[in-house]
Amino acid sequence: MSPASPDSPTETRSTDVAQQHFPGAASQNAPWLRDEMLAMLDHWVDWRRSRFSEDVDLPPEAPRAVGHHRLSARLTALRDALTEETPTFTPRYIAHMKSDLSLPAILGWFAALLHNPNNTSREASRVGSVIETEAIAHLATMLGYDAGVAQGHFTSGGTVANFEAMWRARYRLDHCLALALHISETTGDRLDPFAAAHMGWDRFRALWQQHGVTEAELKQSSAMAGNPPDIYRRISRASGQDYLGPVMLAPGNRHFSWDKGANLLGLGREALWSVRLDARGRMDLEDFEQKVLLAHGQGRPVLMTVAVAGTTEMSAIDPLDGLFDRLDVWQRQDGWHIWRHIDGAYGGFFRAMLGGDAEAVLTDDARAALAAMGRADSITIDPHKLGYIPYSCGAFLTSNAQTYAVSAFDAPYLTRQDLAAGKWASTLEGSRSASGAAATWLTAETLGFDPQGLGAILAGTIEARRALEAAVTAAVPQARFLPGDANIACFTLAEAGEPLSATNARTGAAFEFFQASPAFAVSRTTLGKDGAAVKAAHLATYGGQDDGGDLVVIRLVVMSPYWCEPAVRAEMTNLFVAELSGAVQASQVMPTEDGKR
């Protein structure tokens, strides 16, 4: 579909929202922000002075000590040092998933920071924990969950949130297998590990009550509560075939946290099965189905299936609707409840575009995929990416309390009394700052996670990415863009019919040119064997010859809110085209086979 015209309602709205809710590329909103920060600091000071004013009769101002002078000096040194930090606030920064922070995020974060609540429990965070609950409800609504029953909490980032999903998926799988193993050993019926592991909580409850299983008996058949090798041996004996443990299915372009998680859970690298990608860098549903059936044939349960909403390389959005349709059929026909997780660490916020003019910039398949997010068991999302919240702030959500259950071997239909005072027993992290939750809460309450707020900003960044691609393509014939669903653009520099090695060399030389120049910050990535279909389709667009190796691409993350503003977009686009033209000229001096130029 074609991008919206420059005077479209979407662009007008995104410009207004960006100007009102962000500091401004040249800090245009700095006077207002300064006033609010000082007012917040004064309010905090007054609160401290008045809270227990009768306790100690202190002088109105503490005398300046030698330590203050030293602190001032070192603070000045720190401020000066930080001016050499990467300037991610500028629209010239399009390298990675970082951008300027929103005004409500800065203020919300700072407000909570001054009080320093620890969301490990209500006792340590009377207000912060309530804010977290309300912020999770805002995210749940945006993601398509019923906020009245959805559960979740904030984490230090998407990596830990993904671990949380694995932890809960394993909790359910282990409960189901333990119950089925106990029943099999008690009755002598043959165990089907695959069917047993995917029975789901409703079937688990029914069998639990039917067979009168006690918690102690369940623990004796649990790999997590007992000895895993011994339990695996018993499963093998009860099923009549060697039990090799569960597998996880995730697309080949998955985030590295899934490999880390498999290692931490002791699954082994072999247990993480890669699902092939299609030519657009999305999960290939045919290959997914074949891998599930392969796991079934081997008697290996699927711990969870992972789909991605907004990949880190190309911002591809997996076909969530088609994936869940297939899982629904298995659940209905075979009783297989396979855990559905969406890694929306980057792209989860794109769902804020749905329901208004903003969604018009999405392709039909991307829109359908995002609309299906509420059908997942669990979702990872990172407010510190497209939520424009300070680091470090991730979030993990589940559709209901059953999918949120973890850790202790209690009956899943009973209320956990120890969770009433806090979430310490159900989170991987113990101490957790309330600052990210407060920043997310204030952003939701002001900017809003809807098509008129954040959704408009994100629609504007997608329009900006398309406009940039069009301008580059028109001015630089060698620039060949890969497909993308959202606001990340990837391209190579290639001459028609040339071998991949020559394209990679030219693209790499252009990247080095950008690295040496302060004009723009860009990034580079490679598409390997898991992206074979992407590489083949890309080479076909210019008749390129595959002489081996990965595909090297330059990557542009167009997520700065200032790209939504027409004047900024036009200026940045012209400057980038000029810079890329210089990079192309530099890359034309290519080494020959004998090393000469």
Side-chain angles (χ1 to χ4, degrees), residues 167-253:
W167 192 25
R168 283 159 174 78
R170 188 181 69 172
Y171 173 82
R172 188 181 77 173
L173 182 145
D174 185 62
H175 267 63
C176 293
L177 264 182
L179 178 62
L181 176 59
H182 172 79
I183 294 172
S184 174
E185 291 180 333
T186 301
T187 64
D189 294 337
R190 185 167 181 171
L191 173 66
D192 181 346
F194 189 91
H198 302 125
M199 70 172 68
W201 283 128
D202 289 342
R203 179 63 175 159
F204 176 90
R205 264 194 224 87
L207 290 175
W208 171 287
Q209 295 173 354
Q210 176 185 342
H211 292 270
V213 182
T214 66
E215 183 175 336
E217 290 172 331
L218 194 66
K219 285 184 176 181
Q220 291 173 1
S221 298
S222 163
M224 297 303 99
N227 183 301
D230 179 60
I231 299 301
Y232 280 22
R233 177 184 58 79
R234 289 166 56 188
I235 292 175
S236 297
R237 184 171 57 198
S239 64
Q241 67 179 110
D242 289 339
Y243 180 65
L244 302 178
V247 300
M248 287 199 306
L249 302 183
N253 55 358

